[in-house]
Amino acid sequence: MDQLTLAVVSRNYFNLPAWIALQDGLFAAEGLDVRIDHIEGIEEVNERLRDGRAQLAYGVTEHVILDAEAGGRQRIIGGNVNRLPFSFIARAGIRDYAELRGRRIGVSSLRAGSSSLIIRLLAKRGLRWPEDFTLVPCGPILARWDMLRSGEIDAGLQGAPLDQIALDQGFVSLGNPRDEVPDFQFTSLDLDAGWAEANRDLVLRFCRAFLRAHERFYADQATASRIAMQESGIERRYADRAWEQYVREAIFPRDGEASEAGVQALIETSSLIRDLPPRERRAADYIDRSWLAAARGSL
């Protein structure tokens, strides 16, 4: 068995296709022994890909774009969270966006991730950062959930199924960002192009398992929910609700592909968080579809 390491962000539902490939034997069928490293710091996922501690990653897509703009070799080769699965969850008693003035809003990082989304959503409602609210870097959604419950933050994006758990515990939803940003490449399957070219057979075998895992997610709810419960500790009712939402809204791409429209929306939205010169490259320049195409052709 050939060993590979896949770095992922935290232990949340976003990782389900990789968990399916591991637990249902799809990696093993390709002769791969894949270790999934669950990382709480979203920047560290990108760093491990850069320094070789991980060969592939479910990373925050913005980090790949920043790496490429700095002359790096990271590339998006597949999709993960292609559409936003979030609700904007706030403490009980906060009734609308206007009541977020002066509040502390949790985000994954000030450098990438949910920050730009929050700024975009609140700007449309007349709230400007940093004058009108504070962004608090918390890490991934599990950390944001803990800080929301402890009162350290007043609101933040929560992904399915944590948003449903929050509502059942008395928190409130101020809305769904996907209603305003229908396509957004939040996370993706990423790798270092130099390593990939030197290890073509390994990448293609990984990609075949990746493609099969996405199809199995859509075709086999029982397996998807069982593995989600096993890996993330959620109850069956929440695992089933999350599966229904992810299938209905095609949050995971059934064909495994990254979304060009989603990457473009990310590029345009992320400019709110940093003072960057206009980006000359378009979304397609950051996506290498050749790996999935070759893997699909060999299935």
Side-chain angles (χ1 to χ4, degrees), residues 84-95:
L84 295 171
F86 299 112
S87 298
F88 199 174
I89 300 295
R91 293 192 295 106
I94 297 177
R95 296 166 296 181

Side-chain angles (χ1 to χ4, degrees), residues 130-190:
E131 296 86 355
D132 297 326
F133 58 91
T134 300
L135 292 179
V136 180
C138 306
I141 58 175
L142 292 178
R144 288 205 298 278
W145 175 227
D146 288 340
M147 292 179 71
L148 185 63
R149 287 184 294 176
S150 70
E152 295 173 78
I153 59 174
D154 299 297
L157 297 177
Q158 288 298 330
L162 278 179
D163 56 350
Q164 294 297 320
I165 295 172
L167 293 177
D168 286 348
Q169 293 187 12
F171 294 88
V172 299
S173 174
L174 301 180
N176 298 316
R178 60 187 171 275
D179 293 339
E180 301 179 35
V181 190
D183 295 292
F184 192 95
Q185 192 74 56
F186 192 71
T187 54
S188 50
L189 177 64
D190 312 320

Side-chain angles (χ1 to χ4, degrees), residues 174-223:
L174 301 180
N176 298 316
R178 60 187 171 275
D179 293 339
E180 301 179 35
V181 190
D183 295 292
F184 192 95
Q185 192 74 56
F186 192 71
T187 54
S188 50
L189 177 64
D190 312 320
L191 51 64
D192 179 277
W195 174 85
E197 289 297 337
N199 295 274
R200 185 171 182 81
D201 179 64
L202 286 177
V203 177
L204 291 178
R205 286 152 59 194
F206 182 96
C207 287
R208 283 196 292 267
F210 175 83
L211 290 171
R212 290 188 175 108
H214 281 77
E215 181 58 35
R216 189 157 300 178
F217 170 81
Y218 274 86
D220 189 349
Q221 179 181 0
T223 293

